[in-house]
């Protein structure tokens, strides 16, 4: 394996076994609190052999303290997999203060690098679709990993055709929710789905008692009065309005939940 040296600093690809990860963490005198969700996401990728050697590295200072990489090392312990990783050693102990100051890469950035359009709305819509598929709409503490979201896109390429509703509806509804819902609704009735979101965006020709009108007024009220609604609650009332429209049933009240 290749080793590069700049002054005292060295970099080398090392096979990190669970035992080696355990020793490295135990030697660390200042282990910081870990995000269990991130550890489990990393561990799942390692278990599925989907962890790529992508240049991200474990950073260790000259006192053998871990400056960066605790979550990855813990994930190796959880997954019990041996993972090749780039390890940079002998950093100045003061280097910790300058780590991770950059802008965090998001799934939207990855989609952009792949040539996708409207990447922020698309990434959000894919995340909601993953939640639909795994019955985790209300489990906000559980988020899909990057590779989960990319898998959802690969399995549902036609979601790109729903991106056209994101911008027109943006004044009343989060684009990621509108794109995801349009995609899901289009599976049942494409023409009605187009009508639903066009009318929601414009408010034109909506009769009293129309589920779309009630939804539009509710969404505008939430925004203008800054009412406290979780995103999943907003999604739930969108689905309720859609179901009422399909069933040709007027609505007098829209609220999240089962009632």
């Amino acid at each position: 394996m290749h080793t590069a040296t700049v002054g005292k600093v060295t970099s080398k690809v090392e096979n990190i076994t669970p035992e080696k990860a355990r020793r490295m963490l135990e030697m660390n005198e200042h282990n910081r609190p870990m995000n269990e969700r991130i550890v489990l996401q990393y561990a799942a990728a390692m278990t599925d052999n989907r962890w790529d050697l992508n240049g991200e590295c474990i950073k260790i200072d000259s006192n053998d303290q871990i400056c960066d990489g605790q979550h990855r090392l813990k994930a190796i312990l959880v997954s019990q997999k041996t993972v090749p990783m780039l390890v940079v050693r002998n950093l100045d102990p003061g280097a910790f203060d300058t780590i991770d100051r950059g802008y965090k890469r998001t799934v939207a950035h990855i989609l952009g690098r792949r040539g996708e359009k409207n990447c922020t709305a698309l990434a959000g819509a894919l995340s909601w679709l993953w939640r639909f598929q795994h019955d985790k709409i209300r489990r906000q503490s559980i988020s899909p990993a990057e590779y989960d979201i990319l898998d959802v896109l690969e399995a549902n390429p036609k979601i790109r055709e729903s991106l056209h509703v994101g911008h027109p509806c943006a004044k009343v509804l989060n684009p990621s929710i509108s794109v995801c819902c349009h995609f899901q609704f289009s599976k049942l009735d494409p023409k009605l789905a187009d009508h639903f979101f066009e009318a929601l965006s414009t408010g034109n020709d909506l009769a009293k008692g129309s589920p779309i009108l009630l939804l539009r007024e509710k969404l505008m009220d939430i925004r203008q009065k800054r009412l406290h609604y979780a995103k999943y609650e907003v999604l739930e009332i969108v689905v309720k309005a859609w179901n009422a429209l399909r069933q040709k049933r007027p609505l007098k009240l829209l609220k999240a939940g089962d009632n």
Side-chain angles (χ1 to χ4, degrees):
M1 288 179 283
H2 180 69
T3 301
T5 303
V6 180
K8 294 181 179 180
V9 177
T10 65
S11 64
K12 180 181 180 180
V13 176
E14 302 180 15
N15 287 321
I16 310 296
T17 65
E19 176 60 22
K20 188 171 185 177
R22 182 188 62 78
R23 291 198 306 268
M24 293 169 76
L25 288 169
E26 287 180 349
M27 289 175 61
N28 211 43
E29 296 176 356
H30 304 289
N31 284 318
R32 297 173 299 285
M34 294 195 199
N35 186 317
E36 183 179 355
R37 177 177 59 83
I38 293 176
V39 171
L40 293 177
Q41 283 184 358
Y42 289 176
M46 293 171 184
T47 299
D48 294 341
N49 295 317
R50 302 180 65 165
W51 187 269
D52 296 324
L53 183 62
N54 60 8
E56 292 187 7
C57 61
I58 306 295
K59 302 181 182 74
I60 301 174
D61 70 19
S62 56
N63 295 321
D64 289 327
Q65 300 299 295
I66 300 167
C67 299
D68 188 29
Q70 285 186 174
H71 287 83
R72 281 162 279 168
L73 292 171
K74 181 66 174 180
I76 290 174
L77 273 178
V78 171
S79 66
Q80 287 295 293
K81 300 283 285 189
T82 297
V83 180
M85 288 193 174
L86 179 63
V87 181
V88 175
R89 297 180 182 273
N90 294 320
L91 290 168
D92 186 315
F96 173 79
D97 295 337
T98 65
I99 290 172
D100 288 341
R101 283 186 177 174
Y103 190 60
K104 181 176 174 58
R105 181 193 65 181
T106 65
V107 175
H109 295 148
I110 297 173
L111 293 172
R113 289 285 297 272
R114 294 185 174 201
E116 300 291 346
K117 305 298 183 183
N118 301 323
C119 297
T120 300
L122 179 58
L126 291 168
S127 180
W128 280 115
L129 184 55
W130 180 89
R131 292 181 181 280
F132 265 117
Q133 295 174 344
H134 292 82
D135 194 26
K136 298 188 185 298
I137 293 296
R138 292 185 166 216
R139 299 289 299 275
Q140 297 300 293
S141 62
I142 300 176
S143 299
E146 291 176 358
Y147 65 85
D148 288 323
I149 294 178
L150 297 175
D151 281 351
V152 172
L153 177 58
E154 184 175 351
N156 301 274
K158 287 189 176 182
I159 196 172
R160 298 181 178 95
E161 298 174 11
S162 294
L163 286 168
H164 71 278
V165 304
H167 180 69
C169 291
K171 290 184 178 180
V172 292
L173 184 60
N174 181 286
S176 64
I177 293 178
S178 60
V179 171
C180 179
C181 286
H182 180 273
F183 174 68
Q184 292 288 79
F185 299 168
S186 294
K187 295 177 183 178
L188 302 172
D189 191 328
K191 290 185 179 179
L192 190 61
D194 283 344
H195 166 69
F196 182 91
F197 284 97
E198 181 180 356
L200 182 63
S201 67
T202 64
N204 295 336
D205 301 321
L206 293 175
K208 185 177 181 180
S210 164
I212 305 175
L213 178 60
L214 184 61
L215 175 63
R216 178 179 169 83
E217 291 175 344
K218 182 72 172 182
L219 292 174
M220 293 180 70
D221 203 39
I222 290 172
R223 290 207 168 192
Q224 291 171 1
K225 295 181 180 179
R226 298 184 179 180
L227 302 177
H228 180 68
Y229 269 69
K231 287 183 179 180
Y232 73 82
E233 292 178 311
V234 173
L235 186 145
E236 286 178 352
I237 63 174
V238 172
V239 172
K240 286 185 176 183
W242 162 258
N243 288 335
L245 181 68
R246 286 192 71 223
Q247 297 163 10
K248 299 181 180 180
R249 171 171 50 87
L251 281 179
K252 295 183 179 179
L253 180 67
L254 258 182
K255 64 178 182 177
D258 298 327
N259 296 325

